[in-house]
Amino acid sequence: MRVCLCRRGAAKIVELLRGELPRDEILECSPEEVTRVAQQVEVLVPLIARVGEEALASPRLRLVQQFGAGLDGVEVEVASRHGIYVANVPSGDTANADSVAELAILLMIALARRWPRAQENLRARRVGAPVGTTLMGKTVAIVGFGGIGRVLARRLRGFGVRIVAVSRRGPRGEEGEVDLHVAVSALEEILRQADFVVVATPLNEETRGMIGRRAFASMKRGAFLINVARGPVVEREALVAALESGQLAGAGLDVFWEEPPDPADPIFGLEVVATPHIGGATDISLQEIARGVARNVSRLRRGEVPRNCVNTSSVDAVALAAKRNRRPMARNGSGTE
């Protein structure tokens, strides 16, 4: 089976996939080559590449398998119409959640201790400044309480913070992991209390732009925002305005509105600590994600439905319709046998 990773230069991921799939041919392509390569492979692994109508029209392609959780660049409905499975490796299934949670804490501490200013003072040979803040005693709002959110809550316990979880449905039996768990309808009320707001929710139509002007206006003045989810969950212009006005004391960003981001983007001149979408880029996380991808490629080879497939019922419906269309007609032309 031919599997294509839609990103050149990701040598470590290619090495891991080849180790997990020794029977298969692992290829690489750039995001611009996806449509052409899709005609030649059974499996696409998009990473941050977009997989649209032209690529999904491939008669050979059978699975779009994300290397991780995010599927916002894949036109799932189009894939379903073509009978192509779309699957991911959710954060809760791997150490990815642990890795992203650790990075979120890194960004929190870097903001609290005013890391960019500290580096400036180091270069200027000034010591004893800037004065930062501690996490201890602060309120942390975790927006999105899936795999990453739960791990983050557990990791934060040792910092002596008050933890508030915000999720779509509210409490589901995890009350012991946090001090308060509310539904998203109470988001603005929670934002008024939070010193740190960590965005860890998936990107979908409900969450796109969730953290916008209204949300920033609700936040405690001088709070910090950390986004380890997806860039478009936060409205860019609203974030810039909040930083420029001082409503936000700073932002920690591992994800962006376009990736890779433009290094000349003016947002990097504000109180921002940024990393290049490396939340899940750790040794253990990449190994476990590679195993999840390999399991699904093996399932596909055996004729089984991939795990964590987001369009199984739609693909099954397409397959059933195709089977009916191939059914031989009776000699009387009635379609019955």
Side-chain angles (χ1 to χ4, degrees):
M1 193 170 291
R2 304 186 90 198
V3 179
C4 184
L5 182 72
C6 306
R7 177 177 164 186
R8 292 194 180 278
K12 181 62 177 178
I13 296 177
V14 171
E15 175 189 344
L16 290 170
L17 289 177
R18 285 176 176 159
E20 295 291 336
L21 294 166
R23 296 172 52 188
D24 301 289
E25 184 179 1
I26 309 298
L27 309 174
E28 297 174 78
C29 75
S30 68
E32 294 74 26
E33 297 172 306
V34 169
T35 297
R36 176 182 62 80
V37 172
Q39 316 304 313
Q40 307 165 15
V41 301
E42 286 78 22
V43 181
L44 279 179
V45 182
L47 288 177
I48 62 172
R50 297 199 64 80
V51 183
E53 175 79 52
E54 293 183 351
L56 294 167
S58 165
R60 182 167 181 169
L61 188 62
R62 298 169 59 192
L63 170 65
V64 177
Q65 170 66 58
Q66 184 57 286
F67 194 92
L71 290 169
D72 39 291
V74 182
E75 295 188 24
V76 178
E77 291 185 6
V78 176
S80 300
R81 290 203 305 270
H82 288 285
I84 297 168
Y85 290 116
V86 178
N88 64 358
V89 185
S91 296
D93 280 12
T94 69
N96 185 64
D98 299 83
S99 298
V100 176
E102 289 177 4
L103 184 72
I105 294 172
L106 168 67
L107 294 173
M108 291 172 67
I109 294 174
L111 289 169
R113 301 307 295 267
R114 303 179 67 188
W115 187 258
R117 196 63 52 83
Q119 297 304 296
E120 292 175 9
N121 286 353
L122 192 62
R123 288 190 290 270
R125 303 187 71 177
R126 290 191 293 265
V127 298
V131 175
T133 62
T134 65
L135 269 63
M136 184 175 60
K138 304 301 191 296
T139 294
V140 179
I142 303 174
V143 182
F145 204 58
I148 294 170
R150 290 191 186 92
V151 172
L152 178 59
R154 292 196 292 271
R155 296 286 190 274
L156 284 172
R157 274 294 173 207
F159 287 91
V161 298
R162 175 175 178 258
I163 305 170
V164 180
V166 181
S167 64
R168 185 160 56 99
R169 291 186 294 272
R172 297 190 302 278
E174 306 93 343
E175 291 84 347
E177 299 179 10
V178 298
D179 297 286
L180 179 65
H181 188 172
V182 301
V184 71
S185 57
L187 175 62
E188 290 182 24
E189 177 185 343
I190 297 305
L191 293 179
R192 295 187 188 99
Q193 307 172 24
D195 301 286
F196 294 85
V197 178
V198 182
V199 182
T201 185
L203 175 64
N204 52 47
E205 291 310 307
E206 293 179 16
T207 62
R208 185 179 296 273
M210 172 188 284
I211 309 298
R213 291 188 182 276
R214 185 169 174 176
F216 285 119
S218 299
M219 287 186 191
K220 180 189 294 188
R221 186 171 181 83
F224 297 100
L225 176 81
I226 295 88
N227 188 3
V228 291
R230 284 293 185 270
V233 176
V234 177
E235 288 186 5
R236 183 187 184 284
E237 296 309 315
L239 173 60
V240 170
L243 288 168
E244 290 179 337
S245 69
Q247 176 68 6
L248 274 187
L253 306 176
D254 185 50
V255 291
F256 304 90
W257 303 268
E258 65 171 356
E259 294 188 346
D262 181 354
D265 190 325
I267 200 169
F268 296 125
L270 301 173
E271 292 295 323
V272 169
V273 175
T275 48
H277 202 153
I278 57 170
T282 64
D283 49 357
I284 295 176
S285 177
L286 292 180
Q287 181 68 70
E288 292 193 3
I289 294 172
R291 287 173 183 156
V293 171
R295 280 194 295 268
N296 271 355
V297 173
S298 297
R299 289 177 70 89
L300 188 71
R301 187 189 300 110
R302 295 193 300 266
E304 300 173 7
V305 175
R307 287 191 62 214
N308 303 307
C309 182
V310 300
N311 64 340
T312 302
S313 58
S314 299
V315 172
D316 288 348
V318 169
L320 179 60
K323 183 177 180 180
R324 286 172 176 167
N325 290 336
R326 290 195 299 268
R327 180 180 295 172
M329 297 290 290
R331 291 185 179 181
N332 63 9
S334 66
T336 59
E337 295 180 0

